[in-house]
Amino acid sequence: MVLRHQLKRAGMALLVAMTLGAAPAQADYAADSNAIHNGPCTKEAENRKVTLDITPRPVRHMQELTFRVTMAPAKQIPSTLILDLSMPGMVMGKNQVTLKKRPDGAWEGKGIIVRCMSGRTLWKATLLSSELGNPAFSFNVRD
């Protein structure tokens, strides 16, 4: 009986900690969540300006999208980059887009953002690059 009570209390404490821990992270993503629908978004990463553009706009679920990354300066960046698409706080499986450097100096690739069965629309695109410190862009996908 005592063990059951302790387990119940520990489970409740874990639930509260997870809930409180997730709230600030969610707030961090909300700041720029709709900017991508108006045009490219730019962030500072390792003393470079990194810009992500997703077309066509508005960005929607379940359609082929073109992901385009530019940066300045672009020296010492590999010719292939990986863009990881994920949902903050939700496991959606691996969804990565390979971006290849184009003659115009941009990295570009195509991919699909799946529809979440929960109805959530907040996504994060993280450019996996040790040279850039893995900059991330958050955005809401429209239906």
Side-chain angles (χ1 to χ4, degrees), residues 41-116:
C41 293
T42 301
K43 292 200 171 205
E44 287 283 331
E46 301 297 321
N47 297 318
R48 300 174 203 254
K49 288 190 183 285
V50 179
T51 301
L52 172 67
D53 193 13
I54 306 173
T55 55
R57 289 188 206 93
V59 178
R60 297 187 186 279
H61 297 105
M62 305 309 292
Q63 71 177 20
E64 187 175 65
L65 300 166
T66 299
F67 297 87
R68 182 177 173 87
V69 172
T70 56
M71 65 189 80
K75 296 175 190 166
Q76 300 176 338
I77 301 295
S79 60
T80 301
L81 295 171
I82 301 294
L83 187 70
D84 183 69
L85 301 169
S86 62
M87 288 190 95
M90 171 118 10
V91 178
M92 292 295 290
K94 189 174 182 178
N95 187 358
Q96 295 182 334
V97 177
T98 301
L99 306 175
K100 300 216 180 242
K101 192 165 187 181
R102 301 180 40 85
D104 65 2
W107 287 258
E108 192 171 284
K110 295 191 181 291
I112 295 174
I113 296 174
V114 298
R115 184 182 313 269
C116 180

